Amino acid sequence: MDLTPLDIIRIAIGLAILLYVTNCILNQRVWIRKTFSWGTKEEYPKIFQMNIVGGTLIGIFLIVGPFLF
C-alpha cells in the first residue's frame, strides 16, 4: 500500500490530536476557548470528557482511516 502525502498529513494530525488528549489526561486540564486558558477537570467536567472521548475517536479514525479505505 502506498501512502500519499495527504495520508501522511492525516496521520500526523491524528497523532497531534492523540498527543493533546494524552496531555489533557496527564495534567487533568483542558483548553477552554471561551476563557482562552486551561481549565481543570473539576471546573469543566463535561468539556473534559467530550475532549477525551471525541479526541480519541477522531485521532484513531485519522490514523487508521488511510489503511481501511
Side-chain angles (χ1 to χ4, degrees):
M1 173 180 185
D2 295 331
L3 290 176
T4 64
L6 184 60
D7 291 337
I8 295 171
I9 293 171
R10 277 182 64 159
I11 292 170
I13 291 172
L15 287 173
I17 292 172
L18 289 178
L19 284 174
Y20 169 74
V21 169
T22 304
N23 180 43
C24 289
I25 291 172
L26 291 176
N27 295 319
Q28 297 294 304
R29 292 179 164 230
V30 65
W31 184 255
I32 306 297
R33 291 185 302 175
K34 183 178 180 180
T35 60
F36 205 68
S37 63
W38 290 96
T40 63
K41 177 182 174 182
E42 290 78 24
E43 291 174 327
Y44 302 97
K46 289 183 181 180
I47 295 175
F48 180 82
Q49 188 175 17
M50 287 188 327
N51 272 329
I52 300 303
V53 173
T56 302
L57 292 175
I58 291 171
I60 290 173
F61 175 75
L62 288 175
I63 293 172
V64 178
F67 300 107
L68 295 178
F69 304 109

Short mmCIF file of all heavy atoms in Angstrom, two decimals:
data_model
loop_
_atom_site.label_atom_id
_atom_site.label_comp_id
_atom_site.label_asym_id
_atom_site.label_seq_id
_atom_site.Cartn_x
_atom_site.Cartn_y
_atom_site.Cartn_z
N MET A 1 0.84 -1.18 0.00
CA MET A 1 0.00 0.00 0.00
C MET A 1 0.89 1.24 0.00
O MET A 1 1.79 1.38 0.80
CB MET A 1 -0.90 -0.02 1.23
CG MET A 1 -1.67 1.21 1.41
SD MET A 1 -2.70 1.10 2.86
CE MET A 1 -3.55 2.61 2.68
N ASP A 2 0.60 2.13 -0.90
CA ASP A 2 1.34 3.39 -1.00
C ASP A 2 0.60 4.48 -0.25
O ASP A 2 -0.60 4.66 -0.43
CB ASP A 2 1.51 3.80 -2.46
CG ASP A 2 2.36 2.81 -3.23
OD1 ASP A 2 3.23 2.18 -2.60
OD2 ASP A 2 2.15 2.68 -4.45
N LEU A 3 1.35 5.21 0.57
CA LEU A 3 0.76 6.33 1.29
C LEU A 3 0.99 7.61 0.49
O LEU A 3 2.11 7.91 0.10
CB LEU A 3 1.37 6.47 2.68
CG LEU A 3 1.02 5.39 3.69
CD1 LEU A 3 1.78 5.62 4.98
CD2 LEU A 3 -0.46 5.38 3.97
N THR A 4 -0.07 8.34 0.26
CA THR A 4 0.04 9.62 -0.43
C THR A 4 0.42 10.69 0.58
O THR A 4 0.29 10.49 1.80
CB THR A 4 -1.30 9.97 -1.11
OG1 THR A 4 -2.28 10.16 -0.09
CG2 THR A 4 -1.74 8.87 -2.06
N PRO A 5 0.85 11.85 0.10
CA PRO A 5 1.16 12.94 1.04
C PRO A 5 -0.05 13.33 1.91
O PRO A 5 0.10 13.69 3.07
CB PRO A 5 1.57 14.09 0.13
CG PRO A 5 2.12 13.42 -1.09
CD PRO A 5 1.29 12.18 -1.25
N LEU A 6 -1.25 13.23 1.33
CA LEU A 6 -2.46 13.54 2.11
C LEU A 6 -2.65 12.54 3.25
O LEU A 6 -3.05 12.92 4.36
CB LEU A 6 -3.68 13.55 1.20
CG LEU A 6 -5.01 13.96 1.85
CD1 LEU A 6 -4.91 15.37 2.41
CD2 LEU A 6 -6.13 13.87 0.85
N ASP A 7 -2.35 11.27 3.01
CA ASP A 7 -2.46 10.25 4.05
C ASP A 7 -1.46 10.53 5.18
O ASP A 7 -1.78 10.38 6.36
CB ASP A 7 -2.22 8.86 3.48
CG ASP A 7 -3.33 8.40 2.56
OD1 ASP A 7 -4.46 8.92 2.69
OD2 ASP A 7 -3.06 7.53 1.71
N ILE A 8 -0.26 10.95 4.81
CA ILE A 8 0.75 11.26 5.83
C ILE A 8 0.32 12.45 6.67
O ILE A 8 0.50 12.46 7.89
CB ILE A 8 2.12 11.49 5.15
CG1 ILE A 8 2.59 10.19 4.50
CG2 ILE A 8 3.14 12.01 6.15
CD1 ILE A 8 3.79 10.32 3.62
N ILE A 9 -0.29 13.44 6.04
CA ILE A 9 -0.80 14.60 6.79
C ILE A 9 -1.92 14.19 7.73
O ILE A 9 -1.97 14.62 8.89
CB ILE A 9 -1.26 15.71 5.81
CG1 ILE A 9 -0.06 16.28 5.08
CG2 ILE A 9 -2.04 16.80 6.53
CD1 ILE A 9 -0.40 17.21 3.94
N ARG A 10 -2.83 13.31 7.25
CA ARG A 10 -3.91 12.82 8.11
C ARG A 10 -3.36 12.10 9.34
O ARG A 10 -3.83 12.29 10.46
CB ARG A 10 -4.80 11.84 7.34
CG ARG A 10 -5.85 12.47 6.50
CD ARG A 10 -6.69 11.44 5.84
NE ARG A 10 -7.42 10.65 6.84
CZ ARG A 10 -8.50 9.96 6.58
NH1 ARG A 10 -8.98 9.91 5.37
NH2 ARG A 10 -9.11 9.29 7.54
N ILE A 11 -2.35 11.26 9.12
CA ILE A 11 -1.76 10.51 10.23
C ILE A 11 -1.09 11.47 11.22
O ILE A 11 -1.22 11.32 12.43
CB ILE A 11 -0.78 9.45 9.70
CG1 ILE A 11 -1.57 8.36 8.95
CG2 ILE A 11 0.04 8.85 10.83
CD1 ILE A 11 -0.70 7.40 8.17
N ALA A 12 -0.40 12.49 10.70
CA ALA A 12 0.27 13.46 11.57
C ALA A 12 -0.75 14.24 12.41
O ALA A 12 -0.54 14.47 13.60
CB ALA A 12 1.12 14.41 10.74
N ILE A 13 -1.85 14.64 11.80
CA ILE A 13 -2.89 15.37 12.54
C ILE A 13 -3.51 14.46 13.59
O ILE A 13 -3.77 14.88 14.72
CB ILE A 13 -3.95 15.94 11.57
CG1 ILE A 13 -3.33 17.05 10.73
CG2 ILE A 13 -5.17 16.44 12.32
CD1 ILE A 13 -4.21 17.55 9.62
N GLY A 14 -3.76 13.20 13.24
CA GLY A 14 -4.29 12.24 14.20
C GLY A 14 -3.37 12.05 15.39
O GLY A 14 -3.81 12.00 16.54
N LEU A 15 -2.06 11.98 15.13
CA LEU A 15 -1.10 11.85 16.23
C LEU A 15 -1.08 13.10 17.10
O LEU A 15 -0.99 13.00 18.33
CB LEU A 15 0.30 11.57 15.67
CG LEU A 15 0.52 10.18 15.11
CD1 LEU A 15 1.89 10.10 14.45
CD2 LEU A 15 0.40 9.14 16.20
N ALA A 16 -1.19 14.28 16.48
CA ALA A 16 -1.22 15.52 17.25
C ALA A 16 -2.45 15.57 18.15
O ALA A 16 -2.36 15.98 19.32
CB ALA A 16 -1.21 16.72 16.31
N ILE A 17 -3.59 15.13 17.65
CA ILE A 17 -4.80 15.10 18.47
C ILE A 17 -4.65 14.13 19.63
O ILE A 17 -5.02 14.44 20.77
CB ILE A 17 -6.03 14.75 17.60
CG1 ILE A 17 -6.33 15.89 16.63
CG2 ILE A 17 -7.25 14.46 18.48
CD1 ILE A 17 -7.39 15.57 15.61
N LEU A 18 -4.07 12.96 19.37
CA LEU A 18 -3.87 12.00 20.45
C LEU A 18 -2.85 12.50 21.47
O LEU A 18 -2.98 12.21 22.67
CB LEU A 18 -3.45 10.64 19.88
CG LEU A 18 -4.55 9.88 19.14
CD1 LEU A 18 -4.01 8.57 18.59
CD2 LEU A 18 -5.75 9.62 20.03
N LEU A 19 -1.86 13.26 21.04
CA LEU A 19 -0.92 13.86 21.99
C LEU A 19 -1.62 14.89 22.87
O LEU A 19 -1.35 14.99 24.07
CB LEU A 19 0.25 14.51 21.24
CG LEU A 19 1.28 13.55 20.70
CD1 LEU A 19 2.30 14.31 19.85
CD2 LEU A 19 1.98 12.81 21.82
N TYR A 20 -2.54 15.68 22.29
CA TYR A 20 -3.32 16.64 23.08
C TYR A 20 -4.18 15.91 24.11
O TYR A 20 -4.24 16.32 25.27
CB TYR A 20 -4.20 17.49 22.15
CG TYR A 20 -5.21 18.32 22.89
CD1 TYR A 20 -4.84 19.44 23.61
CD2 TYR A 20 -6.56 17.96 22.89
CE1 TYR A 20 -5.76 20.20 24.30
CE2 TYR A 20 -7.50 18.72 23.57
CZ TYR A 20 -7.09 19.83 24.27
OH TYR A 20 -8.02 20.57 24.96
N VAL A 21 -4.82 14.82 23.69
CA VAL A 21 -5.65 14.04 24.62
C VAL A 21 -4.79 13.48 25.75
O VAL A 21 -5.18 13.52 26.92
CB VAL A 21 -6.39 12.91 23.87
CG1 VAL A 21 -7.03 11.94 24.83
CG2 VAL A 21 -7.43 13.50 22.93
N THR A 22 -3.62 12.98 25.41
CA THR A 22 -2.70 12.46 26.43
C THR A 22 -2.30 13.55 27.41
O THR A 22 -2.27 13.34 28.62
CB THR A 22 -1.45 11.84 25.77
OG1 THR A 22 -1.87 10.84 24.85
CG2 THR A 22 -0.53 11.25 26.80
N ASN A 23 -2.00 14.74 26.89
CA ASN A 23 -1.64 15.87 27.74
C ASN A 23 -2.79 16.22 28.68
O ASN A 23 -2.58 16.49 29.87
CB ASN A 23 -1.26 17.07 26.88
CG ASN A 23 -0.88 18.27 27.69
OD1 ASN A 23 -0.16 18.17 28.67
ND2 ASN A 23 -1.36 19.42 27.28
N CYS A 24 -4.01 16.23 28.15
CA CYS A 24 -5.18 16.54 28.98
C CYS A 24 -5.35 15.50 30.10
O CYS A 24 -5.67 15.86 31.23
CB CYS A 24 -6.44 16.59 28.13
SG CYS A 24 -6.53 18.03 27.05
N ILE A 25 -5.16 14.24 29.76
CA ILE A 25 -5.33 13.18 30.77
C ILE A 25 -4.25 13.28 31.84
O ILE A 25 -4.54 13.18 33.04
CB ILE A 25 -5.33 11.80 30.11
CG1 ILE A 25 -6.59 11.62 29.27
CG2 ILE A 25 -5.22 10.69 31.15
CD1 ILE A 25 -6.60 10.37 28.42
N LEU A 26 -3.01 13.47 31.43
CA LEU A 26 -1.91 13.51 32.40
C LEU A 26 -1.99 14.72 33.33
O LEU A 26 -1.71 14.62 34.52
CB LEU A 26 -0.57 13.49 31.68
CG LEU A 26 -0.22 12.19 30.96
CD1 LEU A 26 1.10 12.35 30.21
CD2 LEU A 26 -0.14 11.04 31.93
N ASN A 27 -2.38 15.88 32.79
CA ASN A 27 -2.43 17.10 33.59
C ASN A 27 -3.81 17.39 34.18
O ASN A 27 -3.95 18.35 34.94
CB ASN A 27 -1.98 18.30 32.74
CG ASN A 27 -0.54 18.17 32.35
OD1 ASN A 27 0.30 17.76 33.14
ND2 ASN A 27 -0.24 18.50 31.10
N GLN A 28 -4.82 16.59 33.79
CA GLN A 28 -6.19 16.77 34.27
C GLN A 28 -6.69 18.19 33.98
O GLN A 28 -7.38 18.80 34.79
CB GLN A 28 -6.30 16.47 35.77
CG GLN A 28 -5.98 15.05 36.12
CD GLN A 28 -7.00 14.08 35.56
OE1 GLN A 28 -8.18 14.22 35.83
NE2 GLN A 28 -6.56 13.11 34.79
N ARG A 29 -6.32 18.71 32.79
CA ARG A 29 -6.75 20.03 32.37
C ARG A 29 -7.20 19.96 30.92
O ARG A 29 -6.82 19.08 30.18
CB ARG A 29 -5.61 21.04 32.47
CG ARG A 29 -5.23 21.31 33.89
CD ARG A 29 -4.08 22.28 33.97
NE ARG A 29 -4.02 22.78 35.33
CZ ARG A 29 -3.95 24.05 35.63
NH1 ARG A 29 -3.89 24.95 34.71
NH2 ARG A 29 -3.92 24.43 36.88
N VAL A 30 -7.99 20.94 30.52
CA VAL A 30 -8.49 21.02 29.15
C VAL A 30 -8.45 22.48 28.71
O VAL A 30 -8.61 23.39 29.52
CB VAL A 30 -9.91 20.43 29.06
CG1 VAL A 30 -10.91 21.22 29.84
CG2 VAL A 30 -10.34 20.24 27.65
N TRP A 31 -8.19 22.71 27.41
CA TRP A 31 -8.15 24.07 26.89
C TRP A 31 -9.57 24.58 26.67
O TRP A 31 -10.36 23.96 25.96
CB TRP A 31 -7.37 24.10 25.58
CG TRP A 31 -7.21 25.48 25.04
CD1 TRP A 31 -7.88 26.02 23.99
CD2 TRP A 31 -6.35 26.51 25.53
NE1 TRP A 31 -7.49 27.32 23.79
CE2 TRP A 31 -6.55 27.65 24.73
CE3 TRP A 31 -5.45 26.58 26.59
CZ2 TRP A 31 -5.87 28.83 24.94
CZ3 TRP A 31 -4.77 27.76 26.79
CH2 TRP A 31 -4.98 28.87 25.97
N ILE A 32 -9.88 25.71 27.27
CA ILE A 32 -11.21 26.31 27.17
C ILE A 32 -11.10 27.53 26.26
O ILE A 32 -10.42 28.50 26.59
CB ILE A 32 -11.73 26.72 28.57
CG1 ILE A 32 -11.69 25.56 29.54
CG2 ILE A 32 -13.13 27.31 28.46
CD1 ILE A 32 -12.57 24.39 29.15
N ARG A 33 -11.78 27.49 25.12
CA ARG A 33 -11.72 28.60 24.17
C ARG A 33 -12.47 29.82 24.68
O ARG A 33 -12.13 30.95 24.34
CB ARG A 33 -12.30 28.19 22.82
CG ARG A 33 -11.43 27.18 22.11
CD ARG A 33 -11.96 26.89 20.74
NE ARG A 33 -13.34 26.41 20.84
CZ ARG A 33 -14.11 26.16 19.80
NH1 ARG A 33 -13.66 26.35 18.59
NH2 ARG A 33 -15.34 25.72 19.97
N LYS A 34 -13.49 29.62 25.49
CA LYS A 34 -14.31 30.73 25.98
C LYS A 34 -13.46 31.70 26.81
O LYS A 34 -13.57 32.91 26.67
CB LYS A 34 -15.47 30.20 26.81
CG LYS A 34 -16.41 31.23 27.31
CD LYS A 34 -17.56 30.60 28.07
CE LYS A 34 -18.52 31.65 28.58
NZ LYS A 34 -19.63 31.04 29.31
N THR A 35 -12.63 31.16 27.68
CA THR A 35 -11.77 31.99 28.51
C THR A 35 -10.35 32.07 27.97
O THR A 35 -9.52 32.78 28.51
CB THR A 35 -11.70 31.43 29.96
OG1 THR A 35 -11.17 30.11 29.92
CG2 THR A 35 -13.08 31.42 30.58
N PHE A 36 -10.05 31.31 26.91
CA PHE A 36 -8.73 31.25 26.28
C PHE A 36 -7.65 30.91 27.30
O PHE A 36 -6.62 31.58 27.41
CB PHE A 36 -8.42 32.56 25.55
CG PHE A 36 -7.44 32.38 24.43
CD1 PHE A 36 -7.77 31.67 23.29
CD2 PHE A 36 -6.17 32.91 24.52
CE1 PHE A 36 -6.87 31.50 22.27
CE2 PHE A 36 -5.26 32.75 23.50
CZ PHE A 36 -5.61 32.03 22.38
N SER A 37 -7.93 29.87 28.09
CA SER A 37 -6.99 29.41 29.10
C SER A 37 -7.28 27.95 29.42
O SER A 37 -8.26 27.38 28.95
CB SER A 37 -7.11 30.27 30.36
OG SER A 37 -8.39 30.10 30.93
N TRP A 38 -6.41 27.37 30.22
CA TRP A 38 -6.60 25.99 30.64
C TRP A 38 -7.57 25.95 31.82
O TRP A 38 -7.50 26.78 32.72
CB TRP A 38 -5.27 25.37 31.07
CG TRP A 38 -4.34 25.14 29.93
CD1 TRP A 38 -3.34 25.97 29.52
CD2 TRP A 38 -4.33 24.03 29.04
NE1 TRP A 38 -2.72 25.43 28.41
CE2 TRP A 38 -3.30 24.24 28.11
CE3 TRP A 38 -5.10 22.88 28.93
CZ2 TRP A 38 -3.03 23.34 27.08
CZ3 TRP A 38 -4.82 21.98 27.92
CH2 TRP A 38 -3.80 22.21 27.01
N GLY A 39 -8.46 24.98 31.80
CA GLY A 39 -9.41 24.78 32.89
C GLY A 39 -9.23 23.38 33.46
O GLY A 39 -8.87 22.45 32.74
N THR A 40 -9.50 23.21 34.72
CA THR A 40 -9.32 21.91 35.35
C THR A 40 -10.50 20.99 35.04
O THR A 40 -11.57 21.43 34.61
CB THR A 40 -9.19 22.04 36.88
OG1 THR A 40 -10.40 22.58 37.40
CG2 THR A 40 -8.02 22.93 37.26
N LYS A 41 -10.28 19.72 35.28
CA LYS A 41 -11.31 18.71 35.07
C LYS A 41 -12.51 18.97 35.97
O LYS A 41 -13.65 18.75 35.57
CB LYS A 41 -10.70 17.34 35.36
CG LYS A 41 -11.66 16.19 35.24
CD LYS A 41 -10.96 14.89 35.61
CE LYS A 41 -11.92 13.75 35.64
NZ LYS A 41 -11.27 12.50 36.03
N GLU A 42 -12.27 19.45 37.18
CA GLU A 42 -13.34 19.70 38.12
C GLU A 42 -14.19 20.90 37.72
O GLU A 42 -15.39 20.95 37.99
CB GLU A 42 -12.79 19.91 39.54
CG GLU A 42 -12.21 18.66 40.18
CD GLU A 42 -10.82 18.32 39.65
OE1 GLU A 42 -10.12 19.23 39.16
OE2 GLU A 42 -10.44 17.14 39.70
N GLU A 43 -13.58 21.91 37.08
CA GLU A 43 -14.32 23.09 36.67
C GLU A 43 -15.21 22.82 35.45
O GLU A 43 -16.31 23.36 35.35
CB GLU A 43 -13.35 24.22 36.30
CG GLU A 43 -12.60 24.79 37.48
CD GLU A 43 -11.56 25.80 37.03
OE1 GLU A 43 -10.99 25.63 35.94
OE2 GLU A 43 -11.33 26.75 37.78
N TYR A 44 -14.71 22.00 34.52
CA TYR A 44 -15.41 21.73 33.27
C TYR A 44 -15.46 20.21 33.00
O TYR A 44 -14.81 19.72 32.09
CB TYR A 44 -14.71 22.42 32.10
CG TYR A 44 -14.59 23.91 32.26
CD1 TYR A 44 -13.42 24.49 32.74
CD2 TYR A 44 -15.64 24.75 31.92
CE1 TYR A 44 -13.30 25.86 32.88
CE2 TYR A 44 -15.54 26.13 32.06
CZ TYR A 44 -14.36 26.67 32.53
OH TYR A 44 -14.26 28.03 32.67
N PRO A 45 -16.22 19.47 33.80
CA PRO A 45 -16.20 18.01 33.65
C PRO A 45 -16.76 17.51 32.32
O PRO A 45 -16.22 16.57 31.72
CB PRO A 45 -17.04 17.51 34.82
CG PRO A 45 -17.91 18.64 35.20
CD PRO A 45 -17.13 19.89 34.86
N LYS A 46 -17.83 18.14 31.81
CA LYS A 46 -18.41 17.68 30.55
C LYS A 46 -17.50 17.98 29.37
O LYS A 46 -17.34 17.15 28.47
CB LYS A 46 -19.78 18.31 30.33
CG LYS A 46 -20.84 17.77 31.26
CD LYS A 46 -22.19 18.37 30.96
CE LYS A 46 -23.21 17.83 31.95
NZ LYS A 46 -24.54 18.38 31.69
N ILE A 47 -16.91 19.16 29.35
CA ILE A 47 -15.99 19.52 28.26
C ILE A 47 -14.76 18.62 28.31
O ILE A 47 -14.27 18.17 27.27
CB ILE A 47 -15.60 21.00 28.36
CG1 ILE A 47 -16.84 21.86 28.12
CG2 ILE A 47 -14.50 21.34 27.37
CD1 ILE A 47 -16.61 23.34 28.32
N PHE A 48 -14.26 18.33 29.51
CA PHE A 48 -13.12 17.44 29.64
C PHE A 48 -13.44 16.06 29.07
O PHE A 48 -12.68 15.51 28.27
CB PHE A 48 -12.71 17.32 31.12
CG PHE A 48 -11.54 16.43 31.34
CD1 PHE A 48 -10.25 16.89 31.16
CD2 PHE A 48 -11.71 15.11 31.76
CE1 PHE A 48 -9.16 16.07 31.37
CE2 PHE A 48 -10.63 14.28 31.96
CZ PHE A 48 -9.35 14.76 31.77
N GLN A 49 -14.58 15.54 29.44
CA GLN A 49 -14.98 14.20 28.97
C GLN A 49 -15.20 14.20 27.46
O GLN A 49 -14.79 13.27 26.77
CB GLN A 49 -16.24 13.75 29.69
CG GLN A 49 -16.61 12.32 29.41
CD GLN A 49 -17.80 11.88 30.24
OE1 GLN A 49 -18.54 12.70 30.78
NE2 GLN A 49 -17.99 10.58 30.35
N MET A 50 -15.84 15.24 26.91
CA MET A 50 -16.05 15.31 25.47
C MET A 50 -14.73 15.40 24.72
O MET A 50 -14.56 14.78 23.66
CB MET A 50 -16.93 16.51 25.12
CG MET A 50 -18.38 16.33 25.48
SD MET A 50 -19.52 17.61 24.90
CE MET A 50 -18.60 19.10 24.92
N ASN A 51 -13.77 16.15 25.25
CA ASN A 51 -12.46 16.24 24.61
C ASN A 51 -11.74 14.90 24.61
O ASN A 51 -11.11 14.54 23.62
CB ASN A 51 -11.59 17.29 25.30
CG ASN A 51 -11.79 18.67 24.73
OD1 ASN A 51 -12.08 18.82 23.55
ND2 ASN A 51 -11.62 19.66 25.56
N ILE A 52 -11.81 14.18 25.70
CA ILE A 52 -11.12 12.89 25.80
C ILE A 52 -11.76 11.88 24.85
O ILE A 52 -11.07 11.25 24.03
CB ILE A 52 -11.13 12.37 27.25
CG1 ILE A 52 -10.44 13.35 28.19
CG2 ILE A 52 -10.49 10.99 27.32
CD1 ILE A 52 -9.01 13.69 27.83
N VAL A 53 -13.07 11.72 24.93
CA VAL A 53 -13.75 10.72 24.10
C VAL A 53 -13.70 11.13 22.62
O VAL A 53 -13.30 10.34 21.75
CB VAL A 53 -15.20 10.52 24.58
CG1 VAL A 53 -15.96 9.63 23.62
CG2 VAL A 53 -15.21 9.93 25.98
N GLY A 54 -14.09 12.35 22.33
CA GLY A 54 -14.12 12.81 20.94
C GLY A 54 -12.73 12.86 20.32
O GLY A 54 -12.54 12.44 19.17
N GLY A 55 -11.76 13.38 21.07
CA GLY A 55 -10.40 13.45 20.55
C GLY A 55 -9.80 12.09 20.28
O GLY A 55 -9.11 11.88 19.28
N THR A 56 -10.08 11.13 21.16
CA THR A 56 -9.58 9.77 20.96
C THR A 56 -10.20 9.14 19.72
O THR A 56 -9.49 8.55 18.89
CB THR A 56 -9.87 8.91 22.20
OG1 THR A 56 -9.27 9.52 23.34
CG2 THR A 56 -9.32 7.51 22.03
N LEU A 57 -11.50 9.27 19.57
CA LEU A 57 -12.17 8.68 18.40
C LEU A 57 -11.71 9.33 17.10
O LEU A 57 -11.41 8.63 16.12
CB LEU A 57 -13.69 8.81 18.55
CG LEU A 57 -14.33 7.96 19.65
CD1 LEU A 57 -15.82 8.28 19.75
CD2 LEU A 57 -14.10 6.49 19.39
N ILE A 58 -11.63 10.64 17.06
CA ILE A 58 -11.20 11.33 15.84
C ILE A 58 -9.74 11.02 15.53
O ILE A 58 -9.39 10.76 14.38
CB ILE A 58 -11.44 12.84 15.98
CG1 ILE A 58 -12.93 13.14 15.99
CG2 ILE A 58 -10.75 13.61 14.85
CD1 ILE A 58 -13.29 14.56 16.35
N GLY A 59 -8.88 11.03 16.56
CA GLY A 59 -7.47 10.72 16.34
C GLY A 59 -7.26 9.32 15.80
O GLY A 59 -6.49 9.12 14.85
N ILE A 60 -7.95 8.35 16.37
CA ILE A 60 -7.82 6.97 15.89
C ILE A 60 -8.35 6.85 14.47
O ILE A 60 -7.75 6.18 13.62
CB ILE A 60 -8.52 5.99 16.85
CG1 ILE A 60 -7.74 5.91 18.16
CG2 ILE A 60 -8.67 4.62 16.22
CD1 ILE A 60 -8.42 5.11 19.25
N PHE A 61 -9.48 7.50 14.18
CA PHE A 61 -10.04 7.45 12.83
C PHE A 61 -9.07 8.04 11.80
O PHE A 61 -8.89 7.48 10.71
CB PHE A 61 -11.38 8.20 12.77
CG PHE A 61 -11.94 8.28 11.38
CD1 PHE A 61 -12.52 7.18 10.79
CD2 PHE A 61 -11.88 9.46 10.68
CE1 PHE A 61 -13.03 7.24 9.51
CE2 PHE A 61 -12.39 9.55 9.39
CZ PHE A 61 -12.97 8.43 8.81
N LEU A 62 -8.43 9.16 12.14
CA LEU A 62 -7.50 9.77 11.21
C LEU A 62 -6.27 8.91 10.98
O LEU A 62 -5.72 8.89 9.87
CB LEU A 62 -7.08 11.16 11.71
CG LEU A 62 -8.14 12.25 11.62
CD1 LEU A 62 -7.64 13.53 12.26
CD2 LEU A 62 -8.51 12.51 10.18
N ILE A 63 -5.83 8.20 12.00
CA ILE A 63 -4.65 7.36 11.85
C ILE A 63 -4.97 6.07 11.10
O ILE A 63 -4.24 5.65 10.20
CB ILE A 63 -4.03 7.06 13.23
CG1 ILE A 63 -3.46 8.34 13.83
CG2 ILE A 63 -2.94 5.98 13.12
CD1 ILE A 63 -3.02 8.21 15.25
N VAL A 64 -6.06 5.44 11.43
CA VAL A 64 -6.42 4.14 10.84
C VAL A 64 -7.11 4.29 9.50
O VAL A 64 -7.03 3.39 8.66
CB VAL A 64 -7.29 3.34 11.84
CG1 VAL A 64 -7.72 2.01 11.25
CG2 VAL A 64 -6.54 3.11 13.13
N GLY A 65 -7.76 5.42 9.26
CA GLY A 65 -8.53 5.63 8.05
C GLY A 65 -7.80 5.34 6.74
O GLY A 65 -8.35 4.65 5.88
N PRO A 66 -6.57 5.84 6.55
CA PRO A 66 -5.88 5.57 5.27
C PRO A 66 -5.63 4.07 5.03
O PRO A 66 -5.49 3.64 3.88
CB PRO A 66 -4.56 6.31 5.41
CG PRO A 66 -4.82 7.38 6.39
CD PRO A 66 -5.84 6.82 7.34
N PHE A 67 -5.55 3.28 6.07
CA PHE A 67 -5.29 1.86 5.91
C PHE A 67 -6.57 1.07 5.64
O PHE A 67 -6.51 -0.06 5.17
CB PHE A 67 -4.57 1.31 7.15
CG PHE A 67 -3.27 1.98 7.39
CD1 PHE A 67 -3.12 2.89 8.45
CD2 PHE A 67 -2.19 1.75 6.58
CE1 PHE A 67 -1.92 3.51 8.67
CE2 PHE A 67 -0.97 2.38 6.78
CZ PHE A 67 -0.83 3.26 7.84
N LEU A 68 -7.73 1.64 5.98
CA LEU A 68 -9.00 0.95 5.78
C LEU A 68 -9.60 1.21 4.40
O LEU A 68 -10.26 0.34 3.84
CB LEU A 68 -10.02 1.38 6.84
CG LEU A 68 -9.70 1.00 8.29
CD1 LEU A 68 -10.76 1.54 9.21
CD2 LEU A 68 -9.58 -0.50 8.42
N PHE A 69 -9.39 2.42 3.89
CA PHE A 69 -10.05 2.79 2.63
C PHE A 69 -9.09 2.81 1.49
O PHE A 69 -8.07 3.12 1.38
CB PHE A 69 -10.75 4.15 2.76
CG PHE A 69 -11.74 4.19 3.89
CD1 PHE A 69 -11.49 4.91 5.03
CD2 PHE A 69 -12.91 3.45 3.81
CE1 PHE A 69 -12.40 4.98 6.07
CE2 PHE A 69 -13.83 3.49 4.85
CZ PHE A 69 -13.57 4.25 5.97
#
